[in-house]
Amino acid sequence: MEPEEWSQRGDMELVIATLVGNLEAFGELARRFRPAVSAVVAGIVDSREAVEDVVQDTFLLAFKALPRLRDANRFAPWLCAIARN
């Protein structure tokens, strides 16, 4: 699937595609939610470099924990909760 096609997909479809092994789908989720996660983290962390580190850690933790996400429709709030914690 071409990158522009991933941008046409909903969050739930991207989560499911990631769960079956498509890393490009998770890449689209990361691209889509990076601004929101950065905003959450920036409200907690002072330094720009630290914000970027925490954002990266958030996406890594989310990727590892994705199989435990109970409702793919709740990806965005789940991801922001990871960022806050």
Side-chain angles (χ1 to χ4, degrees):
M1 187 169 289
E2 295 297 317
E4 59 272 4
E5 292 181 42
W6 286 120
S7 66
Q8 305 294 318
R9 305 296 178 176
D11 298 344
M12 186 169 100
E13 190 173 354
L14 292 170
V15 168
I16 292 167
T18 300
L19 288 170
V20 297
N22 193 312
L23 297 179
E24 292 171 358
F26 191 77
E28 174 61 24
L29 287 168
R31 184 199 62 73
R32 188 175 291 181
F33 289 104
R34 180 172 286 279
V37 171
S38 294
V40 168
V41 173
I44 301 167
V45 177
D46 291 332
S47 115
R48 182 168 169 75
E49 294 82 19
V51 168
E52 285 304 312
D53 288 344
V54 174
V55 169
Q56 281 296 109
D57 289 346
T58 298
F59 282 107
L60 180 60
L61 289 169
F63 182 78
K64 290 179 179 180
L66 197 57
R68 295 191 304 270
L69 176 62
R70 293 183 186 174
D71 181 358
N73 285 316
R74 304 274 307 148
F75 179 77
W78 176 77
L79 181 63
C80 288
I82 291 172
R84 278 190 301 276
N85 292 321

